[in-house]
Amino acid sequence: VRFVSFNFRTFPDVSFPFDNYMPKCITSNIKKLLTVYPPSHLSSTYHSGEKCANMLNFMLYELLDASALKCDNEHVIKILNYIEEHITDKLTLQVISSYVNLSKEYTSYIFKKEMGKTLTEYVNERKMLLAKEFILNREMSLADISTYLGYDNYNYFSRLFKQYLGVTPISLKKNT
């Protein structure tokens, strides 16, 4: 049986000792969420039941994502988190390597070694999967989706989409 049990109380500006007990499980997103959830919200006045349920659901999804990751390199984990948090930005090797304070060459090397694909391939794959979700679930135009995901050139976006998902964005939109 696999389960997760939460038993903690948050205080502003207090660091979390979770890494001692669950290394690499408590992501920066979970830490942020816990620090902004004030104890005053634990009354019925603020619909605390729904808020707690939503917070725990978010944490469980974050933990599932973290457990699915087959990587122990702290730099690569930091890169992956940065990509997820900035997926709509123009993500380049230069930007990411600056964020992790590593050379472009070393960043590229460790990412490829740990993930089995280049940083550019990974970023494009993540963006194309997000684009697919937008196409299937939203009323955004394809040009707006392209721009939102950081691609100024729609034709380039369309070629990448077909390369990664095997179908053009227009075809996917027509078939939904």
Side-chain angles (χ1 to χ4, degrees):
V1 174
R2 298 176 74 185
F3 65 92
V4 176
S5 174
F6 296 97
N7 185 13
F8 51 82
R9 185 174 169 151
T10 62
F11 297 97
D13 302 324
V14 175
S15 63
F16 295 96
F18 294 125
D19 283 337
N20 297 334
Y21 307 106
M22 299 185 321
K24 298 183 181 82
C25 284
I26 304 301
T27 66
S28 61
N29 286 339
I30 291 175
K31 289 178 185 178
K32 281 185 223 173
L33 181 63
L34 292 176
T35 58
V36 298
Y37 191 82
S40 63
H41 282 214
L42 297 175
S43 69
S44 60
T45 309
Y46 296 107
H47 306 284
S48 65
E50 293 88 355
K51 287 180 182 179
C52 282
N54 288 333
M55 185 171 72
L56 291 173
N57 281 332
F58 174 82
M59 286 190 278
L60 288 173
Y61 279 115
E62 283 285 310
L63 290 170
L64 283 172
D65 288 347
S67 67
L69 185 61
K70 306 287 189 250
C71 175
D72 292 329
N73 186 306
E74 66 184 64
H75 294 298
V76 174
I77 291 169
K78 192 173 179 181
I79 290 168
L80 294 171
N81 287 331
Y82 183 83
I83 291 169
E84 291 305 314
E85 291 172 13
H86 297 89
I87 194 68
T88 59
D89 298 347
K90 290 185 180 180
L91 294 169
T92 64
L93 179 57
Q94 177 65 45
V95 168
I96 294 170
S97 60
S98 293
Y99 174 73
V100 290
N101 292 324
L102 298 173
S103 72
K104 292 188 302 186
E105 295 79 13
Y106 188 66
T107 300
S108 182
Y109 168 76
I110 62 167
F111 193 87
K112 173 95 178 187
K113 180 180 175 211
E114 291 290 329
M115 300 301 293
K117 58 183 82 173
T118 69
L119 190 55
T120 302
E121 289 169 339
Y122 180 83
V123 168
N124 285 334
E125 182 179 285
R126 297 295 302 144
K127 286 186 180 220
M128 294 306 110
L129 290 172
L130 187 56
K132 179 182 176 185
E133 284 184 40
F134 283 138
I135 291 168
L136 295 175
N137 300 317
R138 304 206 183 195
E139 294 297 321
M140 290 174 74
S141 73
L142 296 175
D144 288 344
I145 292 170
S146 170
T147 303
Y148 181 70
L149 292 174
Y151 297 102
D152 295 331
N153 183 330
Y154 174 77
N155 290 330
Y156 177 67
F157 165 77
S158 183
R159 278 189 311 231
L160 281 176
F161 194 91
K162 182 167 174 85
Q163 177 186 342
Y164 283 91
L165 299 174
V167 63
T168 64
I170 292 171
S171 299
L172 183 63
K173 191 164 183 120
K174 282 180 185 177
N175 293 329
T176 57

